[in-house]
Amino acid sequence: GYIGRTISHGNIEDQHSYIMQTLLLLIGPPFFSASIYMVFGRIVTNILHNENYLLLYPKYITKVCVVGDIISLLLQAAGGGIMANTKKNINNFALGENVILGGLAVQILFFGFFVIIEATYYIRLHKNMQSSEYNSRVINQDIRHFPNKFNDWKTILLSLFLCSIFILIRSI
């Protein structure tokens, strides 16, 4: 994406480098988002076993969000295709930009939904930290099989939440 931006800086009349820049900068976040969905789901289901604090069943979170990302990517690709075929009709360029913006809106909507799920989970978890013997044992122990940088699950969840916020800000 940034290579397309560098190329288009030298030649502002070149639509192809602009299209390349636009598409490549927009398609990155859904792939990062998918990894966040999966890691978050694995921590909740396989390590903490607190699925009841989620707004939606874990198996549906990844499916719903990935479907949203696919719809978003398809809309953005369609918009790029429309923009690329503007030689016959220059008005299609604006239409392509609008389709890309629609795809970006879908991406923000679904990822915003995930951030809400993530935030409510974290809030519910903190409210109920000592609610059971299992919770107090799991929640207060270190996760030994993670790298030393992430010595406990709280750091990992906080990292995922911060990455989610940064991706959401970047998408807006």
Side-chain angles (χ1 to χ4, degrees):
Y2 291 112
I3 292 172
R5 182 170 282 183
T6 304
I7 294 169
S8 66
H9 175 73
N11 185 3
I12 59 173
E13 305 271 330
D14 184 19
Q15 288 181 348
H16 296 293
S17 59
Y18 175 75
I19 294 167
M20 177 178 68
Q21 160 197 319
T22 302
L23 288 178
L24 291 177
L25 289 175
L26 290 176
I27 64 171
F31 296 107
F32 288 119
S33 302
S35 65
I36 291 174
Y37 307 145
M38 294 175 69
V39 171
F40 179 75
R42 299 299 188 279
I43 288 174
V44 170
T45 56
N46 297 336
I47 296 173
L48 297 178
H49 304 284
N50 287 325
E51 298 90 355
N52 55 326
Y53 297 150
L54 291 170
L55 293 176
L56 192 65
Y57 288 114
K59 65 180 180 179
Y60 296 127
I61 293 172
T62 302
K63 289 177 184 176
V64 167
C65 293
V66 168
V67 165
D69 284 344
I70 290 170
I71 292 169
S72 167
L73 283 171
L74 290 175
L75 283 171
Q76 291 174 18
I82 292 169
M83 287 173 64
N85 292 321
T86 59
K87 290 182 182 180
K88 295 179 183 176
N89 186 354
I90 197 69
N91 294 333
N92 284 348
F93 194 81
L95 175 65
E97 282 184 330
N98 289 335
V99 172
I100 287 174
L101 287 176
L104 188 57
V106 168
Q107 179 182 337
I108 290 169
L109 180 74
F110 278 89
F111 196 68
F113 172 68
F114 174 74
V115 169
I116 290 169
I117 288 173
E118 211 174 9
T120 55
Y121 174 79
Y122 201 67
I123 290 167
R124 288 177 178 178
L125 189 64
H126 276 292
K127 284 182 181 177
N128 298 301
M129 278 188 139
Q130 303 301 329
S131 65
S132 72
E133 180 183 327
Y134 175 78
N135 282 351
S136 62
R137 185 170 40 89
V138 170
I139 288 173
N140 294 315
Q141 76 178 359
D142 288 344
I143 300 173
R144 302 275 183 228
H145 57 277
F146 281 101
N148 290 335
K149 292 179 187 175
F150 300 109
N151 58 359
D152 63 27
W153 64 270
K154 295 172 195 169
T155 307
I156 298 169
L157 276 182
L158 184 62
S159 299
L160 289 175
F161 186 68
L162 287 174
C163 288
S164 299
I165 295 297
F166 288 139
I167 289 173
L168 194 60
I169 290 170
R170 181 238 175 263
S171 296
I172 293 173

